[in-house]
Amino acid sequence: MFENNRLCRLLNIKYPLFQGGMAWIAGGRLAAAVSNAGGLGIIGAGGAEASWLEEQIKLVKEKTDRPFGVNLMLALPNIEELIDVVVREKVPAVTTGAGNPGIYMEKFKEAGIKVIPVVASVALAKRLVRLGADAVIAEGMESGGHIGEMSTMCLVPMICDAVDVPVIAAGGVADGRGFMAAFALGAEGVQIGTRFICSEECEVHPAYQEKVLKARDRATVICGTVTNHPVRAIHNKFTRHYLQCEFSGMKKEELEELGRGKYPAAALNGDVEYGTILAGEIAGLINEIKPAGKIVEDIINHALRIKAMWGEL
Ligand code: TUI
C-alpha cells in the first residue's frame, strides 16, 4: 500500500502516520500501541526527567519490536541528559521541537538515529536539511501547544518545494480527510497529536480528555502572541485571565510566571479550569475515545476510501 513511500522506507514502518510526541501526555504505552498498529509511536520527553524517559523507552521495547521515536523539546534545561538517554538506548528516530537541533545532529547520526525536526518556516527547514535532517515535520498553527505563525495549508507546500527530503504535515489532521489533504499538498506523511489524546492508552487525566471531546469548532484560543511565544489551548478560566493580562500590557516576566506549571496541572492533575489544556484546532472534530490502534486503522481506511473515490472523479 505504502511500499514506495519514502518515509515508510526510511523508518521501516507500515503507514506514514506519526503520533505527535506530546509533552506530559504521550508515554510508552501510547507510543507502543501506535507503533504496533503500523504508525510511528513517539514518546513525548518534554518536561520529563531522564529516568522517566529511560523507563518509557524500556516499556516500548517490551511491548513492540516495531520502530518508535522520542520527541525532544530543545528549550528544556535537562536536554543534554535526555539526549544521552536516547543515544544510549539507540532509539530509532528523534523528532525535535521548539528550536534548532543542528548542534546535536552529529551525535544522533553517529548513534544511527534518524533525526526529524519540527519546523514552522521554510528557512529553518532548508537549514536543517543541509545539516542532515532525514525528514522534516511542517507544523502549522492549527496544532496544539507551541506553534508558529503559518497555517498547515500554506506552510506544507512551500516546505515541500524547498527541500528534497520527505515532509510530514502536522496541524489540523485527525481523520482520513486530513491525511489525504496533506498528501495533496505534497506531504509524504502526517503527524497527529490531538486525536491521540482521546485514545485509551493515553495517560492524560480523564478530565482533559473530556474537554477535548466536548470541544466545538471555536474551542481553542492562542495565548502568548504578545510575548512572541504563541500557544494554542482550549479556552477556560485560565486562558481568559491570561489573555486579559497579556492584552492589558503585563510584562513578559510576569506573564511567564503566570503560565508556570500550567501544563502538568491540566494534563496530570486534571485541573481543567486553571491549568492549560493544550490541544489543536481540530479538537472540535473529535468525539470518541478509542484504542490508539483503532485510531490508526480508521484513519488509514478512511484515507483509502477517499483515494478510491478520487479515482472515480
Ligand atoms: O514543541 C512544540 N509544541 C509544544 S512543546 C510543548 S510543552 C513545553 N513544555 C515546557 C516548556 C515549553 C513547552 C507544548 N507544545 N511544537 C513543535 C514546534 N516547534 N512548533 C514550533 C516549533 C519551532 C519554533 C521555532 C521550531 C523551531 C524554531 O526555531 C527557532 C530557531 O531556533 O530558529
Side-chain angles (χ1 to χ4, degrees):
M1 205 182 321
F2 293 99
E3 292 82 11
N4 295 320
N5 179 281
R6 287 197 296 168
L7 208 56
C8 290
R9 288 182 169 213
L10 174 74
L11 296 165
N12 194 25
I13 53 178
K14 193 170 170 200
Y15 305 129
L17 190 161
F18 290 13
Q19 161 249 314
M22 299 167 285
W24 309 105
I25 285 185
R29 203 157 78 95
L30 175 59
V34 172
S35 287
N36 274 327
L40 187 78
I42 301 179
I43 299 166
E49 303 270 340
S51 59
W52 178 88
L53 178 60
E54 200 166 341
E55 273 167 37
Q56 300 304 307
I57 292 171
K58 295 212 157 86
L59 183 68
V60 177
K61 286 180 175 171
E62 263 167 44
K63 286 180 175 283
T64 186
D65 292 328
R66 304 250 179 122
F68 65 96
V70 170
N71 175 258
L72 297 170
M73 270 272 318
L74 298 170
L76 292 172
N78 65 340
I79 187 67
E80 304 273 348
E81 271 178 66
L82 296 173
I83 289 175
D84 285 346
V85 173
V86 303
V87 166
R88 205 181 326 126
E89 292 291 327
K90 295 197 181 330
V91 307
V94 157
T95 61
T96 64
N100 182 339
I103 54 167
Y104 307 116
M105 204 68 100
E106 214 167 310
K107 202 164 179 185
F108 291 134
K109 294 274 164 176
E110 267 170 26
I113 297 172
K114 301 281 187 281
V115 186
I116 310 182
V118 173
V119 294
S121 72
V122 170
L124 188 61
K126 281 164 95 168
R127 201 179 324 145
L128 293 178
V129 169
R130 235 178 358 249
L131 291 175
D134 295 282
V136 292
I137 302 170
E139 191 191 85
M141 49 89 83
E142 294 92 323
S143 302
H146 286 260
I147 51 176
E149 289 166 338
M150 287 193 65
S151 63
T152 304
M153 185 81 147
C154 300
L155 183 68
V156 172
M158 288 187 205
I159 291 186
C160 288
D161 280 355
V163 299
D164 52 13
V165 298
V167 174
I168 298 110
V173 182
D175 67 9
R177 292 171 293 187
F179 184 99
M180 290 302 284
F183 278 69
L185 295 173
E188 290 172 70
V190 297
Q191 173 162 283
I192 297 178
T194 305
R195 183 64 193 90
F196 287 105
I197 296 175
C198 293
S199 67
E200 284 174 8
E201 292 85 351
C202 184
E203 274 145 298
V204 69
H205 196 283
Y208 197 120
Q209 290 180 317
E210 199 57 35
K211 289 296 265 189
V212 175
L213 293 175
K214 291 232 168 84
R216 295 211 236 165
D217 52 350
R218 298 166 61 233
T220 69
V221 292
I222 302 174
C223 296
T225 38
V226 172
T227 50
N228 236 348
H229 286 292
V231 171
R232 186 183 293 282
I234 294 180
H235 75 78
N236 62 4
K237 290 202 175 97
F238 176 69
T239 61
R240 198 171 312 138
H241 176 61
Y242 188 95
L243 286 168
Q244 266 163 9
C245 293
E246 196 177 358
F247 287 95
S248 62
M250 191 187 257
K251 283 206 214 72
K252 191 178 159 108
E253 300 76 51
E254 284 178 79
L255 285 166
E256 269 167 17
E257 191 51 43
L258 194 61
R260 217 175 293 283
K262 297 294 184 180
Y263 305 154
L268 308 181
N269 308 338
D271 184 356
V272 291
E273 286 303 341
Y274 299 99
T276 311
I277 314 159
L278 302 179
E281 204 173 7
I282 204 71
L285 201 68
I286 298 161
N287 28 39
E288 195 188 354
I289 292 178
K290 292 197 261 193
K294 179 87 169 81
I295 293 175
V296 174
E297 190 188 318
D298 287 353
I299 292 171
I300 296 297
N301 287 334
H302 190 185
L304 293 177
R305 282 201 305 279
I306 297 169
K307 184 168 172 279
M309 217 166 66
W310 283 359
E312 293 160 16
L313 281 181

